[in-house]
Amino acid sequence: MPNPPPTLAEPSRQGTRMALAMLASAAVHGMVLSTQFVQVNPRLFEDPNLPMDVVLVNAKSLESPLNPDALAQVNLAGGGNTDDDRRLKSPLPASPQTQTGEEEAAMQTRVTELEQQARALLSQLKTDAPLQRNTPAPAPRPEQPAIDASQLNQQAREMAQLQASISQQWDSYQKRPKRTFVGANVREYAFARYVEDWVAKVERVGNVNYPEAARRQGVYGSLKLTVSIRADGTLEGVEIDRSSGSKILDAAAVKIVELATPYAAFPDDMRKKTDILSITRTWTFTRSDQLVGTD
């Protein structure tokens, strides 16, 4: 018997299934396309309460380091005894006793090694002794030149003389007095006051003892003298730096400086700075028969 022809209900079921599948596919694609993927920050899952590494140091400084290597209880800019990137294992300073103990232990170890070497050499000498009896004696070494005792004595004397000469020169330099040279322009008050008083005294003595020969002959002129005075006021010496051209005036100037001695002793503030004061001054024998100290 032949199969009956398909009815109209079957095509409608297949269309319904196809429509549902397409609708589901469209919904899934729509969800996928509308979904946005956001990158998660991994630090959100880190523990905010991380441990803090603090280093205890046994020194400190007033300056804080620009780029610190670690955290500490005080500021410490630099320090240590090595350029390597290392840290101290203990906050306490190194113990000298510990270092001494290590040195003693190393020395004891070295002594033990030397004793062992000595024992080995002694045992080897005892073993080789019978063999050395039958061996010929070694050839004598060439004699070294004898030391000349006279030459050594001569060198010792030369060294002693050189040392004595150096010592004598050093003592002479140490004993040399401190000298100060001043001219007409004196800045320090102590020196300026002393020079003014000294010039006034020389002028007073010079006017009283004006050279009679210069007055008779009508000789006048100027000369420059350097007078050196010791700390006690005594005269050390007089030098003519520039002559007046007249022997009468030159000799009279030196004579007047000598007649004015002794001068005043140095005050305490001058004694601390100098032992001898050398004053350079220009002296003028005027037409009016007077001695005047000028610049």
Side-chain angles (χ1 to χ4, degrees):
M1 185 173 181
N3 294 328
T7 60
L8 296 175
E10 293 180 359
S12 61
R13 291 178 181 177
Q14 293 179 356
T16 301
R17 292 177 181 175
M18 182 65 69
L20 291 175
M22 293 178 64
L23 182 60
S25 176
V28 171
H29 282 80
M31 292 175 62
V32 172
L33 294 176
S34 61
T35 303
Q36 295 181 358
F37 295 95
V38 180
Q39 185 177 2
V40 180
N41 188 2
R43 293 188 177 181
L44 296 176
F45 299 95
E46 295 179 356
D47 187 4
N49 299 322
L50 294 177
M52 182 179 298
D53 186 12
V54 179
V55 179
L56 297 179
V57 296
N58 54 8
K60 67 178 179 179
S61 60
L62 298 177
E63 300 178 357
S64 60
L66 298 177
N67 298 318
D69 297 332
L71 297 176
Q73 79 276 20
V74 293
N75 291 329
L76 178 60
N81 55 4
T82 179
D83 296 332
D84 299 336
D85 189 8
R86 299 170 58 187
R87 295 182 184 176
L88 193 66
K89 296 182 180 179
S90 172
L92 300 178
S95 175
Q97 186 174 3
T98 303
Q99 296 177 357
T100 305
E102 294 178 355
E103 294 178 358
E104 292 179 355
M107 293 179 62
Q108 188 64 31
T109 304
R110 181 59 178 166
V111 170
T112 305
E113 294 178 356
L114 293 175
E115 290 179 353
Q116 293 178 357
Q117 294 178 4
R119 294 193 190 98
L121 291 175
L122 289 175
S123 61
Q124 185 177 0
L125 289 175
K126 292 180 181 179
T127 305
D128 297 341
L131 298 177
Q132 291 179 358
R133 294 176 182 175
N134 299 327
T135 57
R141 296 180 180 179
E143 295 183 358
Q144 297 180 353
I147 300 176
D148 190 357
S150 60
Q151 185 178 1
L152 292 177
N153 293 333
Q154 180 65 23
Q155 292 178 356
R157 285 194 298 270
E158 292 177 357
M159 291 295 295
Q161 293 175 357
L162 179 60
Q163 184 178 4
S165 176
I166 294 174
S167 178
Q168 184 178 3
Q169 292 177 3
W170 173 257
D171 292 340
S172 299
Y173 178 78
Q174 294 296 328
K175 295 177 182 179
R176 185 176 300 173
K178 294 181 292 184
R179 291 180 177 270
T180 302
F181 296 86
V182 296
N185 298 323
V186 185
R187 295 182 179 180
E188 295 191 29
Y189 173 77
F191 291 98
R193 183 64 181 176
Y194 187 89
V195 171
E196 289 179 1
D197 295 342
W198 175 81
V199 170
K201 184 176 183 180
V202 173
E203 288 180 347
R204 185 171 63 253
V205 174
N207 291 326
V208 174
N209 297 274
Y210 196 88
E212 186 63 27
R215 184 182 289 112
R216 257 193 337 266
Q217 299 178 15
V219 179
Y220 58 89
S222 62
L223 69 157
K224 181 178 289 186
L225 296 180
T226 296
V227 180
S228 299
I229 306 171
R230 300 185 183 93
D232 58 354
T234 58
L235 182 64
E236 187 200 36
V238 182
E239 294 182 3
I240 300 176
D241 299 330
R242 188 185 68 242
S243 174
S244 63
S246 171
K247 294 182 179 180
I248 297 176
L249 298 181
D250 292 348
V254 175
K255 185 65 176 180
I256 291 171
V257 170
E258 293 175 349
L259 289 174
T261 58
Y263 300 105
F266 294 173
D268 294 338
D269 51 353
M270 283 183 58
R271 286 177 179 268
K272 295 178 181 179
K273 298 178 180 179
T274 187
D275 297 323
I276 297 176
L277 181 64
S278 297
I279 306 173
T280 300
R281 200 80 175 184
T282 300
W283 298 95
T284 302
F285 293 89
T286 65
R287 295 178 181 270
S288 57
D289 298 337
Q290 291 183 349
L291 178 64
V292 179
T294 59
D295 296 345

